[in-house]
Amino acid sequence: MSKYDYVISDLPIYKAALLDDYESVSEMLGKNPQLMTKQITYWWETPLIIAVGTNRSHGFVEKLVERIVAVGAKDELFVTSYGGNNPLHYAAKVGNITAAKLLVKHNPDMTRVANPYGNTPLKLAAWHGNKETLEYLLTVTPDLPPPGQEAAGSSPYTGVAGGDLITLTIMAEFYDVALKIIDSHPNVVLENDRNKQTALQVLAMKPEIFPSGSRLGFWGRFLYSLIPVEQSQGATKVNIFLRIFNKFAAGFWSALKYLAPAIKNIHDMKVNHRLSSLLVKRICKVVIENGNHDTAWRILGSAITTAVTYGTHELIEECILTYPGIIWYDVDGFYLFLAAIKERQERVYNLVHQMSRHSVFAATQVDNEDNNALHIAATLAPSHRLNVVTGAALQMQRELQWFKEVEKFIEPSYKEAKNKHGKTPRMVFTKSHEQLLEKGQQWMKDTASSCTVVAALIVTMAFAAAFTVPGGNQDDGKPLFQNDATFMLFVVSDAIALFSSVTSVLMFLGILTSRYAEGDFLYALPKRLTIGALSLFLSLVTTMIAFSATLALVLRDKVTWIAAPLVIATSIPVCLFGLLQFPLLVELVNSTYGRSIFHQQSDHRIH
């Protein structure tokens, strides 16, 4: 009889397990108890494994386990499938906490048993993101080796298994659970997982859970500052009125979270920020308490290597505070300061640069090709860092800003120093940015050409409107509505529209006729584009106002309610322009006239 014959003959049990219908097969299992633990599928799954895997056939699981134990086959509860997974492994995978509790009740030792791939139920629950099951298994899984392997000395919290457990928990975004694991088993943070990564290194790969990795607008930052986050309970007694107020505020924000999903997202973000900070501090504390220089160098060093790539400067700051010497860790052949330049991580750069002693020493470092810090700044930034700004022109501007910044502190003799290829930093910059320069030139030309057409149309309309006044002229040539306030609004708006659109055309023509040298992208071209875009926006707004004033003058005697609809109608194109073009304009202004990206990162913890 083939394997397929078994599948067909045992089909009723298979269906009953899927549909949580134990009664339909109760008589069949009573006559043949071996069917209760028989491998009935192509992948050798037992009825118990099938029912556990559905995560809904709880009645079938409970009655089947009770029957198996009653007939004295308790040892066969954990028969494995083809892949070596027993029912508890399946429960951990699918998050079936009901089945997990029932199985652990009958054999607590199975929580420490791994499948052939080294995965314990704990690890599988974290891997598949089943938080409730993971938390339960943590309470019933002791820090002991698997049954029969006591001589090996390993447990689910040590070695690769321990490393996997904590890193998978962090990857699943269960940061509160990760803190509990570290509190119970501190040494887990010293272990490497199957990918040779530590918990701190995995945290460094998640900049979005730190404040620097979250991009919020004005209102988002305002709400962020107001939303309360539950703090851990301390021994300090709090005034009863303050406690009542805090409970009231917490209830108010809890209700608001359900009514406004955006507020819930900001609250969750703030919670993650707090938990990530606690995690980093706790891990660094464990590393230092370990008292081993090599361990500290390995864990903190690998973490800052990852953090400098992802720009997680909060983690780097905590590592330096914990172990100041780590600032000299070799990050792919560079000190941390030079690695920040190479990866274009301005926050990391700012953090380290304010330690003037370190930046001076690091600035004299050269690599195997005799490239100094300015050579490194002259190379093209990684693509993921170029794309943080919009358009090739602004990307070129950002690259020039980096080059100028590094040029400020480097020794004068290094500015014209040649590497092994005979290239100075300026020569390296020109060569590595050739394609970006061409893209920036084309981006500027396309943008200026499109805006010039629109601005020229507004010039034409505004000029014509100045000589075709609404209502016509009197016999002496004076406008009919010259004494009307609405007419004066039309005149002023039309004049502003004409002057601003002409200014816009001139600015965009200045861009089109520019020489497009490298240095022009730093200030000259962005300045012209900013003035041109602002003038174009102003001309569009005033044109709509002039148009509305004209209609109000002509139609107000017959249509008295025309004013309100006109205001709404004319605001539509203005709003559309703002939504589509204003973000670029804001970015232009901030990049050219705003605060430099190079500023003091911390003023109270690092000296």
Side-chain angles (χ1 to χ4, degrees), residues 7-21 24-26 28-29 32 34-36 38 40 46-48 50-51 60 64:
V7 173
I8 297 299
S9 62
D10 299 324
L11 194 57
I13 302 176
Y14 198 161
K15 290 182 177 180
L18 290 175
L19 300 175
D20 195 18
D21 185 13
S24 64
V25 293
S26 176
M28 180 188 300
L29 296 177
N32 190 357
Q34 292 182 345
L35 290 176
M36 293 188 293
K38 180 184 177 184
I40 63 173
T46 65
L48 182 58
I50 296 169
F60 188 97
L64 183 60

PDB file of all heavy atoms in Angstrom, residues 7-21 24-26 28-29 32 34-36 38 40 46-48 50-51 60 64:
ATOM      1  N   VAL A   7      -3.453   8.293   2.631  1.00  0.00           N
ATOM      2  CA  VAL A   7      -4.104   9.591   2.618  1.00  0.00           C
ATOM      3  C   VAL A   7      -5.587   9.444   2.315  1.00  0.00           C
ATOM      4  O   VAL A   7      -6.444  10.060   2.953  1.00  0.00           O
ATOM      5  CB  VAL A   7      -3.436  10.521   1.578  1.00  0.00           C
ATOM      6  CG1 VAL A   7      -4.227  11.816   1.430  1.00  0.00           C
ATOM      7  CG2 VAL A   7      -2.002  10.827   1.983  1.00  0.00           C
ATOM      8  N   ILE A   8      -5.930   8.629   1.341  1.00  0.00           N
ATOM      9  CA  ILE A   8      -7.331   8.448   0.950  1.00  0.00           C
ATOM     10  C   ILE A   8      -8.128   7.762   2.054  1.00  0.00           C
ATOM     11  O   ILE A   8      -9.233   8.198   2.414  1.00  0.00           O
ATOM     12  CB  ILE A   8      -7.427   7.620  -0.353  1.00  0.00           C
ATOM     13  CG1 ILE A   8      -6.753   8.384  -1.505  1.00  0.00           C
ATOM     14  CG2 ILE A   8      -8.877   7.322  -0.681  1.00  0.00           C
ATOM     15  CD1 ILE A   8      -7.387   9.717  -1.816  1.00  0.00           C
ATOM     16  N   SER A   9      -7.583   6.711   2.617  1.00  0.00           N
ATOM     17  CA  SER A   9      -8.329   5.950   3.621  1.00  0.00           C
ATOM     18  C   SER A   9      -8.526   6.736   4.917  1.00  0.00           C
ATOM     19  O   SER A   9      -9.492   6.515   5.637  1.00  0.00           O
ATOM     20  CB  SER A   9      -7.596   4.628   3.933  1.00  0.00           C
ATOM     21  OG  SER A   9      -6.314   4.898   4.466  1.00  0.00           O
ATOM     22  N   ASP A  10      -7.611   7.641   5.205  1.00  0.00           N
ATOM     23  CA  ASP A  10      -7.703   8.416   6.446  1.00  0.00           C
ATOM     24  C   ASP A  10      -8.300   9.798   6.220  1.00  0.00           C
ATOM     25  O   ASP A  10      -8.208  10.675   7.095  1.00  0.00           O
ATOM     26  CB  ASP A  10      -6.309   8.584   7.073  1.00  0.00           C
ATOM     27  CG  ASP A  10      -5.687   7.243   7.427  1.00  0.00           C
ATOM     28  OD1 ASP A  10      -6.432   6.339   7.846  1.00  0.00           O
ATOM     29  OD2 ASP A  10      -4.453   7.098   7.280  1.00  0.00           O
ATOM     30  N   LEU A  11      -8.937   9.975   5.065  1.00  0.00           N
ATOM     31  CA  LEU A  11      -9.484  11.290   4.718  1.00  0.00           C
ATOM     32  C   LEU A  11     -10.528  11.787   5.723  1.00  0.00           C
ATOM     33  O   LEU A  11     -10.556  12.981   6.044  1.00  0.00           O
ATOM     34  CB  LEU A  11     -10.078  11.242   3.311  1.00  0.00           C
ATOM     35  CG  LEU A  11     -10.394  12.592   2.668  1.00  0.00           C
ATOM     36  CD1 LEU A  11      -9.167  13.472   2.612  1.00  0.00           C
ATOM     37  CD2 LEU A  11     -10.966  12.377   1.267  1.00  0.00           C
ATOM     38  N   PRO A  12     -11.425  10.958   6.254  1.00  0.00           N
ATOM     39  CA  PRO A  12     -12.405  11.443   7.238  1.00  0.00           C
ATOM     40  C   PRO A  12     -11.757  12.078   8.470  1.00  0.00           C
ATOM     41  O   PRO A  12     -12.236  13.089   8.984  1.00  0.00           O
ATOM     42  CB  PRO A  12     -13.196  10.186   7.605  1.00  0.00           C
ATOM     43  CG  PRO A  12     -13.063   9.311   6.409  1.00  0.00           C
ATOM     44  CD  PRO A  12     -11.675   9.533   5.896  1.00  0.00           C
ATOM     45  N   ILE A  13     -10.646  11.475   8.933  1.00  0.00           N
ATOM     46  CA  ILE A  13      -9.956  12.039  10.107  1.00  0.00           C
ATOM     47  C   ILE A  13      -9.332  13.395   9.740  1.00  0.00           C
ATOM     48  O   ILE A  13      -9.382  14.350  10.532  1.00  0.00           O
ATOM     49  CB  ILE A  13      -8.873  11.062  10.618  1.00  0.00           C
ATOM     50  CG1 ILE A  13      -9.509   9.712  10.978  1.00  0.00           C
ATOM     51  CG2 ILE A  13      -8.135  11.651  11.813  1.00  0.00           C
ATOM     52  CD1 ILE A  13      -8.497   8.659  11.400  1.00  0.00           C
ATOM     53  N   TYR A  14      -8.759  13.448   8.558  1.00  0.00           N
ATOM     54  CA  TYR A  14      -8.137  14.683   8.075  1.00  0.00           C
ATOM     55  C   TYR A  14      -9.180  15.816   8.061  1.00  0.00           C
ATOM     56  O   TYR A  14      -8.963  16.920   8.577  1.00  0.00           O
ATOM     57  CB  TYR A  14      -7.574  14.434   6.672  1.00  0.00           C
ATOM     58  CG  TYR A  14      -6.549  15.446   6.200  1.00  0.00           C
ATOM     59  CD1 TYR A  14      -5.692  15.140   5.149  1.00  0.00           C
ATOM     60  CD2 TYR A  14      -6.444  16.712   6.776  1.00  0.00           C
ATOM     61  CE1 TYR A  14      -4.747  16.054   4.698  1.00  0.00           C
ATOM     62  CE2 TYR A  14      -5.511  17.626   6.335  1.00  0.00           C
ATOM     63  CZ  TYR A  14      -4.663  17.306   5.292  1.00  0.00           C
ATOM     64  OH  TYR A  14      -3.742  18.206   4.854  1.00  0.00           O
ATOM     65  N   LYS A  15     -10.344  15.536   7.487  1.00  0.00           N
ATOM     66  CA  LYS A  15     -11.401  16.542   7.402  1.00  0.00           C
ATOM     67  C   LYS A  15     -11.917  16.939   8.781  1.00  0.00           C
ATOM     68  O   LYS A  15     -12.178  18.111   9.056  1.00  0.00           O
ATOM     69  CB  LYS A  15     -12.556  16.023   6.550  1.00  0.00           C
ATOM     70  CG  LYS A  15     -12.234  15.914   5.068  1.00  0.00           C
ATOM     71  CD  LYS A  15     -13.457  15.431   4.298  1.00  0.00           C
ATOM     72  CE  LYS A  15     -13.172  15.381   2.798  1.00  0.00           C
ATOM     73  NZ  LYS A  15     -14.360  14.917   2.038  1.00  0.00           N
ATOM     74  N   ALA A  16     -12.081  15.938   9.645  1.00  0.00           N
ATOM     75  CA  ALA A  16     -12.581  16.217  10.988  1.00  0.00           C
ATOM     76  C   ALA A  16     -11.615  17.126  11.751  1.00  0.00           C
ATOM     77  O   ALA A  16     -12.033  18.023  12.489  1.00  0.00           O
ATOM     78  CB  ALA A  16     -12.789  14.909  11.749  1.00  0.00           C
ATOM     79  N   ALA A  17     -10.317  16.901  11.581  1.00  0.00           N
ATOM     80  CA  ALA A  17      -9.317  17.746  12.243  1.00  0.00           C
ATOM     81  C   ALA A  17      -9.359  19.169  11.716  1.00  0.00           C
ATOM     82  O   ALA A  17      -9.214  20.137  12.475  1.00  0.00           O
ATOM     83  CB  ALA A  17      -7.925  17.149  12.059  1.00  0.00           C
ATOM     84  N   LEU A  18      -9.587  19.321  10.425  1.00  0.00           N
ATOM     85  CA  LEU A  18      -9.652  20.657   9.825  1.00  0.00           C
ATOM     86  C   LEU A  18     -10.906  21.403  10.250  1.00  0.00           C
ATOM     87  O   LEU A  18     -10.872  22.630  10.441  1.00  0.00           O
ATOM     88  CB  LEU A  18      -9.609  20.547   8.299  1.00  0.00           C
ATOM     89  CG  LEU A  18      -8.283  20.101   7.665  1.00  0.00           C
ATOM     90  CD1 LEU A  18      -8.456  19.929   6.156  1.00  0.00           C
ATOM     91  CD2 LEU A  18      -7.171  21.107   7.942  1.00  0.00           C
ATOM     92  N   LEU A  19     -12.027  20.669  10.395  1.00  0.00           N
ATOM     93  CA  LEU A  19     -13.320  21.292  10.657  1.00  0.00           C
ATOM     94  C   LEU A  19     -13.713  21.286  12.134  1.00  0.00           C
ATOM     95  O   LEU A  19     -14.834  21.664  12.469  1.00  0.00           O
ATOM     96  CB  LEU A  19     -14.405  20.569   9.837  1.00  0.00           C
ATOM     97  CG  LEU A  19     -14.201  20.587   8.318  1.00  0.00           C
ATOM     98  CD1 LEU A  19     -15.272  19.741   7.634  1.00  0.00           C
ATOM     99  CD2 LEU A  19     -14.235  22.019   7.790  1.00  0.00           C
ATOM    100  N   ASP A  20     -12.806  20.863  12.999  1.00  0.00           N
ATOM    101  CA  ASP A  20     -13.079  20.808  14.445  1.00  0.00           C
ATOM    102  C   ASP A  20     -14.312  19.954  14.735  1.00  0.00           C
ATOM    103  O   ASP A  20     -15.184  20.307  15.542  1.00  0.00           O
ATOM    104  CB  ASP A  20     -13.279  22.227  15.003  1.00  0.00           C
ATOM    105  CG  ASP A  20     -13.194  22.256  16.529  1.00  0.00           C
ATOM    106  OD1 ASP A  20     -12.657  21.289  17.106  1.00  0.00           O
ATOM    107  OD2 ASP A  20     -13.661  23.242  17.131  1.00  0.00           O
ATOM    108  N   ASP A  21     -14.374  18.782  14.091  1.00  0.00           N
ATOM    109  CA  ASP A  21     -15.534  17.891  14.207  1.00  0.00           C
ATOM    110  C   ASP A  21     -15.072  16.551  14.763  1.00  0.00           C
ATOM    111  O   ASP A  21     -14.972  15.551  14.044  1.00  0.00           O
ATOM    112  CB  ASP A  21     -16.192  17.732  12.827  1.00  0.00           C
ATOM    113  CG  ASP A  21     -17.479  16.922  12.897  1.00  0.00           C
ATOM    114  OD1 ASP A  21     -17.973  16.697  14.022  1.00  0.00           O
ATOM    115  OD2 ASP A  21     -17.971  16.520  11.828  1.00  0.00           O
ATOM    116  N   SER A  24     -17.533  13.234  14.692  1.00  0.00           N
ATOM    117  CA  SER A  24     -17.740  12.441  13.474  1.00  0.00           C
ATOM    118  C   SER A  24     -16.747  11.290  13.356  1.00  0.00           C
ATOM    119  O   SER A  24     -16.993  10.323  12.626  1.00  0.00           O
ATOM    120  CB  SER A  24     -17.629  13.337  12.233  1.00  0.00           C
ATOM    121  OG  SER A  24     -16.320  13.861  12.112  1.00  0.00           O
ATOM    122  N   VAL A  25     -15.612  11.370  14.047  1.00  0.00           N
ATOM    123  CA  VAL A  25     -14.607  10.305  13.952  1.00  0.00           C
ATOM    124  C   VAL A  25     -14.359   9.651  15.314  1.00  0.00           C
ATOM    125  O   VAL A  25     -13.437   8.845  15.458  1.00  0.00           O
ATOM    126  CB  VAL A  25     -13.279  10.854  13.381  1.00  0.00           C
ATOM    127  CG1 VAL A  25     -13.450  11.278  11.940  1.00  0.00           C
ATOM    128  CG2 VAL A  25     -12.757  12.007  14.241  1.00  0.00           C
ATOM    129  N   SER A  26     -15.152   9.992  16.299  1.00  0.00           N
ATOM    130  CA  SER A  26     -14.937   9.462  17.643  1.00  0.00           C
ATOM    131  C   SER A  26     -15.034   7.936  17.654  1.00  0.00           C
ATOM    132  O   SER A  26     -14.199   7.248  18.247  1.00  0.00           O
ATOM    133  CB  SER A  26     -15.961  10.063  18.610  1.00  0.00           C
ATOM    134  OG  SER A  26     -15.833   9.499  19.894  1.00  0.00           O
ATOM    135  N   MET A  28     -14.655   5.878  15.090  1.00  0.00           N
ATOM    136  CA  MET A  28     -13.554   5.311  14.298  1.00  0.00           C
ATOM    137  C   MET A  28     -12.276   5.248  15.131  1.00  0.00           C
ATOM    138  O   MET A  28     -11.554   4.240  15.121  1.00  0.00           O
ATOM    139  CB  MET A  28     -13.310   6.162  13.045  1.00  0.00           C
ATOM    140  CG  MET A  28     -12.180   5.648  12.158  1.00  0.00           C
ATOM    141  SD  MET A  28     -11.778   6.795  10.819  1.00  0.00           S
ATOM    142  CE  MET A  28     -13.334   6.883   9.967  1.00  0.00           C
ATOM    143  N   LEU A  29     -11.966   6.309  15.871  1.00  0.00           N
ATOM    144  CA  LEU A  29     -10.756   6.331  16.694  1.00  0.00           C
ATOM    145  C   LEU A  29     -10.874   5.381  17.873  1.00  0.00           C
ATOM    146  O   LEU A  29      -9.877   4.815  18.339  1.00  0.00           O
ATOM    147  CB  LEU A  29     -10.500   7.759  17.200  1.00  0.00           C
ATOM    148  CG  LEU A  29     -10.209   8.821  16.127  1.00  0.00           C
ATOM    149  CD1 LEU A  29     -10.048  10.188  16.765  1.00  0.00           C
ATOM    150  CD2 LEU A  29      -8.954   8.461  15.338  1.00  0.00           C
ATOM    151  N   ASN A  32     -10.054   1.942  16.541  1.00  0.00           N
ATOM    152  CA  ASN A  32      -8.651   1.790  16.118  1.00  0.00           C
ATOM    153  C   ASN A  32      -7.826   2.926  16.746  1.00  0.00           C
ATOM    154  O   ASN A  32      -7.542   3.934  16.091  1.00  0.00           O
ATOM    155  CB  ASN A  32      -8.548   1.831  14.593  1.00  0.00           C
ATOM    156  CG  ASN A  32      -7.157   1.446  14.102  1.00  0.00           C
ATOM    157  OD1 ASN A  32      -6.249   1.199  14.908  1.00  0.00           O
ATOM    158  ND2 ASN A  32      -6.972   1.418  12.795  1.00  0.00           N
ATOM    159  N   GLN A  34      -4.809   3.403  17.203  1.00  0.00           N
ATOM    160  CA  GLN A  34      -3.549   3.756  16.542  1.00  0.00           C
ATOM    161  C   GLN A  34      -3.720   4.923  15.569  1.00  0.00           C
ATOM    162  O   GLN A  34      -2.761   5.639  15.265  1.00  0.00           O
ATOM    163  CB  GLN A  34      -3.008   2.536  15.789  1.00  0.00           C
ATOM    164  CG  GLN A  34      -2.544   1.415  16.707  1.00  0.00           C
ATOM    165  CD  GLN A  34      -1.974   0.252  15.923  1.00  0.00           C
ATOM    166  OE1 GLN A  34      -2.158   0.146  14.704  1.00  0.00           O
ATOM    167  NE2 GLN A  34      -1.285  -0.642  16.624  1.00  0.00           N
ATOM    168  N   LEU A  35      -4.974   5.119  15.092  1.00  0.00           N
ATOM    169  CA  LEU A  35      -5.209   6.226  14.153  1.00  0.00           C
ATOM    170  C   LEU A  35      -5.002   7.585  14.818  1.00  0.00           C
ATOM    171  O   LEU A  35      -4.760   8.579  14.141  1.00  0.00           O
ATOM    172  CB  LEU A  35      -6.641   6.149  13.611  1.00  0.00           C
ATOM    173  CG  LEU A  35      -6.946   4.989  12.661  1.00  0.00           C
ATOM    174  CD1 LEU A  35      -8.424   4.997  12.278  1.00  0.00           C
ATOM    175  CD2 LEU A  35      -6.087   5.121  11.396  1.00  0.00           C
ATOM    176  N   MET A  36      -5.107   7.643  16.159  1.00  0.00           N
ATOM    177  CA  MET A  36      -4.995   8.932  16.845  1.00  0.00           C
ATOM    178  C   MET A  36      -3.599   9.528  16.708  1.00  0.00           C
ATOM    179  O   MET A  36      -3.433  10.752  16.724  1.00  0.00           O
ATOM    180  CB  MET A  36      -5.344   8.767  18.330  1.00  0.00           C
ATOM    181  CG  MET A  36      -6.814   8.425  18.581  1.00  0.00           C
ATOM    182  SD  MET A  36      -7.246   8.455  20.334  1.00  0.00           S
ATOM    183  CE  MET A  36      -6.286   7.067  20.935  1.00  0.00           C
ATOM    184  N   LYS A  38      -1.354   8.356  14.220  1.00  0.00           N
ATOM    185  CA  LYS A  38      -0.825   7.908  12.932  1.00  0.00           C
ATOM    186  C   LYS A  38      -0.492   9.107  12.039  1.00  0.00           C
ATOM    187  O   LYS A  38      -1.190  10.118  12.037  1.00  0.00           O
ATOM    188  CB  LYS A  38      -1.855   7.012  12.240  1.00  0.00           C
ATOM    189  CG  LYS A  38      -1.407   6.492  10.886  1.00  0.00           C
ATOM    190  CD  LYS A  38      -2.519   5.688  10.228  1.00  0.00           C
ATOM    191  CE  LYS A  38      -2.112   5.232   8.837  1.00  0.00           C
ATOM    192  NZ  LYS A  38      -3.211   4.521   8.149  1.00  0.00           N
ATOM    193  N   ILE A  40      -0.915  10.665   8.842  1.00  0.00           N
ATOM    194  CA  ILE A  40      -1.943  10.383   7.833  1.00  0.00           C
ATOM    195  C   ILE A  40      -1.842  11.252   6.583  1.00  0.00           C
ATOM    196  O   ILE A  40      -2.659  11.098   5.675  1.00  0.00           O
ATOM    197  CB  ILE A  40      -3.343  10.552   8.450  1.00  0.00           C
ATOM    198  CG1 ILE A  40      -3.566  12.002   8.888  1.00  0.00           C
ATOM    199  CG2 ILE A  40      -3.553   9.593   9.602  1.00  0.00           C
ATOM    200  CD1 ILE A  40      -4.987  12.285   9.341  1.00  0.00           C
ATOM    201  N   THR A  46       0.233  14.082  11.878  1.00  0.00           N
ATOM    202  CA  THR A  46      -0.753  13.339  12.660  1.00  0.00           C
ATOM    203  C   THR A  46      -2.040  14.156  12.756  1.00  0.00           C
ATOM    204  O   THR A  46      -2.044  15.360  12.496  1.00  0.00           O
ATOM    205  CB  THR A  46      -0.214  13.059  14.066  1.00  0.00           C
ATOM    206  OG1 THR A  46      -0.039  14.308  14.746  1.00  0.00           O
ATOM    207  CG2 THR A  46       1.124  12.308  14.014  1.00  0.00           C
ATOM    208  N   PRO A  47      -3.151  13.527  13.157  1.00  0.00           N
ATOM    209  CA  PRO A  47      -4.391  14.299  13.360  1.00  0.00           C
ATOM    210  C   PRO A  47      -4.200  15.455  14.340  1.00  0.00           C
ATOM    211  O   PRO A  47      -4.778  16.531  14.162  1.00  0.00           O
ATOM    212  CB  PRO A  47      -5.371  13.260  13.910  1.00  0.00           C
ATOM    213  CG  PRO A  47      -4.881  11.967  13.339  1.00  0.00           C
ATOM    214  CD  PRO A  47      -3.385  12.076  13.310  1.00  0.00           C
ATOM    215  N   LEU A  48      -3.378  15.236  15.379  1.00  0.00           N
ATOM    216  CA  LEU A  48      -3.133  16.295  16.350  1.00  0.00           C
ATOM    217  C   LEU A  48      -2.399  17.469  15.713  1.00  0.00           C
ATOM    218  O   LEU A  48      -2.736  18.637  15.938  1.00  0.00           O
ATOM    219  CB  LEU A  48      -2.333  15.736  17.536  1.00  0.00           C
ATOM    220  CG  LEU A  48      -2.035  16.727  18.664  1.00  0.00           C
ATOM    221  CD1 LEU A  48      -3.326  17.313  19.226  1.00  0.00           C
ATOM    222  CD2 LEU A  48      -1.213  16.048  19.763  1.00  0.00           C
ATOM    223  N   ILE A  50      -2.411  18.309  12.571  1.00  0.00           N
ATOM    224  CA  ILE A  50      -3.326  18.978  11.633  1.00  0.00           C
ATOM    225  C   ILE A  50      -4.260  19.922  12.389  1.00  0.00           C
ATOM    226  O   ILE A  50      -4.451  21.076  12.006  1.00  0.00           O
ATOM    227  CB  ILE A  50      -4.147  17.938  10.850  1.00  0.00           C
ATOM    228  CG1 ILE A  50      -3.222  17.086   9.967  1.00  0.00           C
ATOM    229  CG2 ILE A  50      -5.200  18.622   9.984  1.00  0.00           C
ATOM    230  CD1 ILE A  50      -3.907  15.866   9.370  1.00  0.00           C
ATOM    231  N   ALA A  51      -4.834  19.440  13.471  1.00  0.00           N
ATOM    232  CA  ALA A  51      -5.785  20.253  14.241  1.00  0.00           C
ATOM    233  C   ALA A  51      -5.096  21.446  14.902  1.00  0.00           C
ATOM    234  O   ALA A  51      -5.633  22.561  14.920  1.00  0.00           O
ATOM    235  CB  ALA A  51      -6.468  19.394  15.296  1.00  0.00           C
ATOM    236  N   PHE A  60     -11.349  19.763  18.986  1.00  0.00           N
ATOM    237  CA  PHE A  60     -10.772  18.518  18.475  1.00  0.00           C
ATOM    238  C   PHE A  60      -9.458  18.224  19.197  1.00  0.00           C
ATOM    239  O   PHE A  60      -9.203  17.081  19.600  1.00  0.00           O
ATOM    240  CB  PHE A  60     -10.539  18.654  16.971  1.00  0.00           C
ATOM    241  CG  PHE A  60     -10.125  17.377  16.290  1.00  0.00           C
ATOM    242  CD1 PHE A  60     -11.063  16.592  15.645  1.00  0.00           C
ATOM    243  CD2 PHE A  60      -8.803  16.951  16.309  1.00  0.00           C
ATOM    244  CE1 PHE A  60     -10.691  15.399  15.012  1.00  0.00           C
ATOM    245  CE2 PHE A  60      -8.425  15.770  15.692  1.00  0.00           C
ATOM    246  CZ  PHE A  60      -9.376  14.997  15.041  1.00  0.00           C
ATOM    247  N   LEU A  64      -8.917  15.023  21.570  1.00  0.00           N
ATOM    248  CA  LEU A  64      -7.961  14.040  21.064  1.00  0.00           C
ATOM    249  C   LEU A  64      -6.839  13.811  22.069  1.00  0.00           C
ATOM    250  O   LEU A  64      -6.440  12.660  22.324  1.00  0.00           O
ATOM    251  CB  LEU A  64      -7.385  14.510  19.722  1.00  0.00           C
ATOM    252  CG  LEU A  64      -6.418  13.550  19.023  1.00  0.00           C
ATOM    253  CD1 LEU A  64      -7.104  12.216  18.718  1.00  0.00           C
ATOM    254  CD2 LEU A  64      -5.861  14.164  17.752  1.00  0.00           C
TER     255      LEU A  64
END
